[in-house]
Amino acid sequence: MAISLQCFLVLICISIFSSTIAATDPPLTLDYYKSTCPNVFDIVKKEMECHVLSNPRNAAFILRLHFHDCFVQGCDGSILLDDTIELQGEKKASTNGLNSLKGFRIIDKIKNKLESECPGIVSCADILTIAARDAVILVGGPYWHVPVGRKDSKTASYDLAMENIPSANEGLLSIIAKFLYQGLSVTDMVALSGAHTIGMARCESFRARIYGDFEATSGKNPVSDSYLSELRSVCPAIIGSGDNNVTAMDNVTPNLFDNSFYHTLLRGEGLLNSDQELYSSLFGIETKSLVQKYAADPVAFFNQFSDSMVKLGNIMNSDRFINGEVRKNCRFVNT
């Protein structure tokens, strides 16, 4: 009964805010830059190829940036803004890992290329959205069409970054509520979580997990015990010690976009509490079924991930189309 009530309250919140931010059908088109910057997709692709081939981790950096951008004020490039005297950005929010987000220089380089080709035309929000798609493809993931025409925000919201972005130790029901608020379903949530197949996590984010219920979910067996010992060697129990040490969330194929992440959850070895909750939570009847489905059927995972990424990229703040801009420098609002 409590779960139903929570879902009901979440739906009320969605109805209140859906006029402002939602994963609906914004005025975006595939050919928005056809006449003004016809080579935009090729330029982004070429730059992403260079960066991902030189370091596969760059794919995860860009994908994470896109997700964190869209969950705050919609996909408007607000995550890219630096702090100034007049503006507090989102980069230092704890949900963004206190400046642990990376990939900004890649976006800067792409922006510089596009400003040389077609100055003042392509928004930073569109660059990040296209780059996220190309990043996934370059590490073996699926293709999806990217509608474009987004505008860049003139504001950022540290407070919304703290409120809207799920944290590593958050409970399943709370995470579901945050996705529903964005107009994304439980299915979208489980599919998009599969992006962690190429991600790395900081010790600070998984310490509670490996010194908490990891043994309970993984069971006592030599393989899991060995993995847990390895994780604890990377991440000491003492808070403040090794907080920035990192390890892969998918320890089998960390640089390949595949469905291995879901197999990790089936083994009870999810690195983050928030990930393992998808399979092990008492409230996760639907999420557990989806984890099992995507573990068994990589094609189903790829198809749903593509669809969910389009929905994620379509989370818009309608105000941006009226008051937004195309930044000359992705880190600063135009003067």
Side-chain angles (χ1 to χ4, degrees):
M1 190 69 180
I3 299 173
S4 298
L5 177 59
Q6 180 166 349
C7 290
F8 176 72
L9 292 173
V10 170
L11 291 173
I12 291 176
C13 290
I14 292 171
S15 66
I16 293 173
F17 292 102
S18 61
S19 62
T20 305
I21 300 177
T24 56
D25 294 323
L28 305 176
T29 63
L30 295 174
D31 60 354
Y32 183 84
Y33 297 114
K34 184 177 180 180
S35 61
T36 56
C37 194
N39 295 323
V40 57
F41 287 98
D42 291 335
I43 292 172
V44 175
K45 179 182 177 182
K46 183 176 180 181
E47 286 297 307
M48 286 304 299
E49 285 176 345
C50 293
H51 290 288
V52 174
L53 290 176
S54 66
N55 182 2
R57 285 190 64 192
N58 284 327
F61 293 155
I62 296 300
L63 186 56
R64 186 182 181 213
L65 272 185
H66 177 51
F67 178 87
H68 284 229
D69 182 39
C70 294
F71 261 56
V72 180
Q73 302 186 160
C75 308
D76 62 0
S78 62
I79 189 65
L80 304 174
L81 290 169
D82 283 348
D83 286 353
T84 66
I85 295 175
E86 299 176 344
L87 182 145
Q88 182 182 26
E90 300 161 11
K91 296 178 182 180
K92 294 181 181 178
S94 61
T95 49
N96 286 328
L98 296 174
N99 276 328
S100 73
L101 287 176
K102 301 181 186 296
F104 297 106
R105 292 182 180 179
I106 297 174
I107 300 302
D108 290 340
K109 290 180 180 179
I110 297 173
K111 178 62 173 176
N112 289 338
K113 291 277 187 180
L114 287 168
E115 284 298 299
S116 296
E117 178 89 6
C118 19
I121 298 298
V122 182
S123 69
C124 300
D126 275 344
I127 292 171
L128 182 54
T129 308
I130 299 168
R133 188 273 308 275
D134 292 343
V136 170
I137 294 172
L138 288 165
V139 287
Y143 173 91
W144 63 90
H145 292 296
V146 178
V148 287
R150 297 166 188 80
K151 297 298 182 184
D152 296 323
S153 68
K154 298 178 183 178
T155 63
S157 179
Y158 178 94
D159 291 339
L160 285 180
M162 293 293 292
E163 294 172 11
N164 291 2
I165 298 173
S167 65
N169 293 307
E170 200 158 348
L172 181 63
L173 294 181
S174 177
I175 296 174
I176 289 174
K178 289 184 176 182
F179 273 77
L180 290 175
Y181 175 78
Q182 302 293 347
L184 298 168
S185 68
V186 172
T187 299
D188 294 320
M189 180 190 71
V190 178
L192 292 172
S193 296
H196 285 173
T197 189
I198 57 169
M200 303 284 282
R202 297 163 67 235
C203 165
E204 187 178 42
S205 297
F206 63 85
R207 177 182 283 118
R209 166 78 173 134
I210 63 174
Y211 292 99
D213 68 348
F214 190 97
E215 289 178 296
T217 60
S218 63
K220 295 290 292 182
N221 66 78
V223 176
S224 291
D225 288 348
S226 175
Y227 179 43
L228 180 57
S229 295
E230 180 184 332
L231 291 174
R232 288 178 174 176
S233 70
V234 172
C235 184
I238 301 172
I239 296 175
S241 177
D243 284 0
N244 292 320
N245 293 346
V246 298
T247 193
M249 287 186 274
D250 171 4
N251 67 321
V252 179
T253 54
N255 293 323
L256 179 65
F257 195 98
D258 56 16
N259 67 335
S260 177
F261 167 78
Y262 298 105
H263 289 278
T264 300
L265 301 186
L266 294 184
R267 295 193 301 271
E269 296 177 355
L271 185 62
L272 304 181
N273 272 321
S274 55
D275 285 339
Q276 192 59 49
E277 283 268 294
L278 297 175
Y279 184 72
S280 301
S281 173
L282 295 174
F283 304 111
I285 297 175
E286 182 178 0
T287 59
K288 181 175 183 177
S289 176
L290 288 166
V291 168
Q292 293 170 327
K293 176 181 178 180
Y294 298 146
D297 188 348
V299 174
F301 165 50
F302 272 29
N303 288 340
Q304 184 57 58
F305 185 84
S306 298
D307 291 344
S308 297
M309 283 299 294
V310 173
K311 287 181 67 177
L312 175 69
N314 285 355
I315 299 175
M316 305 302 295
N317 187 324
S318 58
D319 177 67
R320 298 294 171 264
F321 293 100
I322 301 172
N323 299 315
E325 63 180 9
V326 174
R327 290 184 212 136
K328 297 177 182 179
N329 182 327
C330 293
R331 293 174 181 264
F332 304 101
V333 174
N334 293 341
T335 56

